[in-house]
């Protein structure tokens, strides 16, 4: 656990110690092997910061700093300061009736308070030389939460009624859903809002990069 990070001030102080360093510098400090690229190591950057902060990787279903109520997210940004990809929030691939109540939902819990870390993203720059650009804490405004909730409610209706083929027909503003697999052997058991159990494909929620771009602009 990372309980030595007793408050937000200490958390920010720790991350400020490495702003400007390269990913390679941090990996060497932590004695973590540096991959040549992320093609086969897509989660490596997140794991690097988990190790730096001492995040407990065993409790994957929780937020990264549960004693502070803060989630950790990294955003690769290009030379223009824009996010280069959508940001993974959480998976929805398990039976949980609370999935259908926004105020008790896991995604709301994960996004209630986030420590964003901005990482340099440029294919011309080797992974080990990419810089840790900056960081900031973010809480969604009431307007932002209302927009996320609206997307979530519509997308959840599509999911629980098994109409996954309709996901692309709804143009969401903030949230995007990726269905990880349509193969039956990879399907998991879910429970809908009426209490019925059914098979569903593993699903993940992402924040669209246009939305994370607005978050970055507001904080710099």
């Amino acid at each position: 656990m990372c309980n030595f990070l007793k408050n937000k001030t200490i958390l920010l102080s720790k991350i400020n110690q490495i702003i400007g360093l390269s990913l390679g510098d941090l990996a060497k400090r932590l004695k973590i092997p540096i991959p040549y690229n992320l093609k086969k190591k897509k989660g490596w950057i997140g794991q690097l910061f988990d190790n730096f902060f001492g995040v407990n990787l065993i409790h994957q279903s929780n937020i990264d700093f549960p004693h502070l109520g803060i989630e950790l997210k990294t955003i690769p940004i290009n030379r223009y300061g824009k996010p280069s990809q959508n940001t993974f929030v959480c998976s929805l691939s398990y039976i949980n009736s609370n999935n259908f109540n926004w105020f008790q939902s896991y995604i709301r819990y994960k996004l209630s308070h986030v420590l964003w870390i901005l990482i340099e993203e440029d294919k011309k720059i080797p992974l080990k030389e990419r810089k840790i650009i900056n960081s900031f804490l973010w809480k969604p405004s009431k307007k932002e939460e209302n927009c996320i909730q609206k997307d979530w409610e519509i997308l959840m209706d599509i999911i629980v009624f098994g109409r996954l083929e309709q996901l692309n027909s709804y143009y969401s503003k903030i949230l995007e859903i990726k269905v990880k697999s349509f193969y039956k052997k990879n399907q998991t058991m879910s429970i809908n809002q009426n209490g019925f159990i059914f098979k569903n494909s593993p699903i993940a929620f992402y924040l669209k990069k246009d939305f994370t771009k607005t978050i970055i602009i507001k904080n710099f």
Side-chain angles (χ1 to χ4, degrees):
M1 290 292 289
C2 46
N3 289 329
F4 62 91
L5 299 170
K6 295 181 180 179
N7 55 53
K8 290 184 289 185
T9 301
I10 295 175
L11 175 64
L12 291 175
S13 176
K14 185 171 178 64
I15 187 61
N16 284 337
Q17 294 172 16
I18 61 170
I19 298 299
L21 292 182
S22 69
L23 295 177
D25 291 334
L26 183 58
K28 287 180 181 179
R29 180 183 296 186
L30 299 172
K31 298 180 180 179
I32 294 174
I34 307 167
Y36 178 72
N37 58 47
L38 299 174
K39 288 183 179 180
K40 295 183 179 180
K41 296 284 185 178
K42 291 184 178 180
W44 182 80
I45 293 178
Q47 292 169 6
L48 179 67
F49 286 98
D50 285 341
N51 277 275
F52 173 69
F53 286 111
V55 171
N56 190 343
L57 300 178
I58 296 175
H59 301 291
Q60 298 265 329
S61 62
N62 212 329
I63 58 175
D64 294 307
F65 308 105
H67 58 297
L68 300 177
I70 295 174
E71 174 74 351
L72 170 65
K73 292 294 181 186
T74 58
I75 306 184
I77 60 175
N78 61 26
R79 66 181 68 181
Y80 306 107
K82 298 179 180 179
S84 58
Q85 60 193 41
N86 295 341
T87 301
F88 171 79
V89 179
C90 64
S91 296
L92 180 70
S93 57
Y94 46 84
I95 295 177
N96 187 343
S97 59
N98 285 341
N99 287 337
F100 312 107
N101 182 323
W102 167 252
F103 295 100
Q104 295 179 351
S105 67
Y106 187 45
I107 188 170
R108 182 175 186 263
Y109 177 53
K110 295 279 277 188
L111 294 176
S112 61
H113 202 177
V114 180
L115 172 62
W116 293 103
I117 299 177
L118 310 184
I119 307 296
E120 186 176 35
E121 171 75 358
D122 189 330
K123 292 181 179 180
K124 295 180 180 179
I125 301 174
L127 178 64
K128 64 181 181 179
E129 296 177 12
R130 295 176 191 176
K131 302 291 185 181
I132 303 166
I133 298 173
N134 218 323
S135 69
F136 59 91
L137 283 171
W138 169 79
K139 285 185 176 182
S141 66
K142 186 64 178 177
K143 181 179 179 180
E144 288 170 334
E145 181 174 345
N146 287 341
C147 290
I148 297 171
Q149 180 181 355
K150 181 180 178 182
D151 274 353
W152 178 86
E153 288 174 344
I154 294 174
L155 292 170
M156 287 301 296
D157 279 345
I158 293 173
I159 293 166
V160 300
F161 289 112
R163 301 193 298 263
L164 298 183
E165 71 281 358
Q166 296 181 14
L167 284 174
N168 292 332
S169 66
Y170 171 65
Y171 180 76
S172 55
K173 293 182 179 179
I174 294 176
L175 285 182
E176 179 188 58
I177 280 183
K178 288 186 180 179
V179 180
K180 294 185 176 180
S181 176
F182 283 100
Y183 294 109
K184 290 183 178 179
K185 67 179 181 180
N186 292 329
Q187 289 183 332
T188 59
M189 301 307 294
S190 302
I191 184 169
N192 67 20
Q193 57 192 4
N194 297 315
F196 295 106
I197 295 174
F198 65 102
K199 288 185 178 180
N200 205 353
S201 299
I203 290 167
F205 285 100
Y206 290 75
L207 289 177
K208 288 189 170 184
K209 58 185 179 182
D210 284 346
F211 177 66
T212 53
K213 174 186 172 183
T214 65
I215 294 175
I216 293 172
I217 291 173
K218 288 178 181 179
N219 284 273
F220 290 99

